[in-house]
Amino acid sequence: MTIEINKRIVREFFANISNHNFDIAFDFIDDDVAWWSAGGENLVFSGTLSKSVFVSSMNAMGDIFSERPTLTPRSMVAEGDRVAVELIGHAVTKDGRNYDNLYHIQLTFKNGKIVAAREYHDTLYAKIVLIDGKTSNSPV
């Protein structure tokens, strides 16, 4: 696959996540993906996730948010089989608090599928808003 195709897949993947077309988005993920997310033991969705656990965690967001989050690409850099994307995330918790976080995710591709991801975000902000249930200044 070319760099431009991989970048197009990134745009389509996050557009489908943001439009709540999860089945289409999850088709871009390889069955053997290793999706790593920062957060340590403070965030239940952190660590290295298999596809099934990643899909379950995305589907479980309905338990936290009043509507599905949006993830809007801000910039991308690509080289070889990797695309690094900066995203602006927005969601509203069920009790009406805004959750606006920034993400940087490096995605690795093979045969048009995401085979690995390294996801970085403001983990303290995520813990304060999502785990502790408090309002905090957004990093966005």
Side-chain angles (χ1 to χ4, degrees), residues 58-125:
M58 291 297 290
N59 286 324
M61 286 191 199
D63 297 338
I64 300 169
F65 300 116
S66 60
E67 54 188 58
R68 300 289 183 182
T70 58
L71 294 166
T72 306
R74 192 162 159 176
S75 65
M76 280 189 267
V77 176
E79 179 178 277
D81 62 354
R82 289 174 286 156
V83 176
V85 58
E86 181 184 23
L87 301 155
I88 298 172
H90 172 75
V92 178
T93 63
K94 284 193 170 179
D95 60 359
R97 290 174 292 116
N98 283 325
Y99 179 70
D100 297 296
N101 210 336
L102 294 174
Y103 299 84
H104 185 273
I105 304 174
Q106 177 181 286
L107 300 165
T108 304
F109 291 86
K110 183 175 181 183
N111 299 322
K113 298 273 190 174
I114 299 167
V115 295
R118 305 260 325 150
E119 176 183 337
Y120 300 89
H121 55 277
D122 187 332
T123 57
L124 178 59
Y125 175 74

Side-chain angles (χ1 to χ4, degrees), residues 13-14 17 22 25-26 29-30 33-37 45 47-61 71 105 107 114 117 119:
F13 175 74
F14 288 110
I17 292 287
F22 287 140
F26 297 150
I29 301 174
D30 189 80
V33 72
W35 192 291
W36 178 88
S37 182
F45 46 82
T48 302
L49 310 177
S50 65
K51 182 176 182 175
S52 63
V53 174
F54 177 77
V55 167
S56 294
S57 69
M58 291 297 290
N59 286 324
M61 286 191 199
L71 294 166
I105 304 174
L107 300 165
I114 299 167
E119 176 183 337

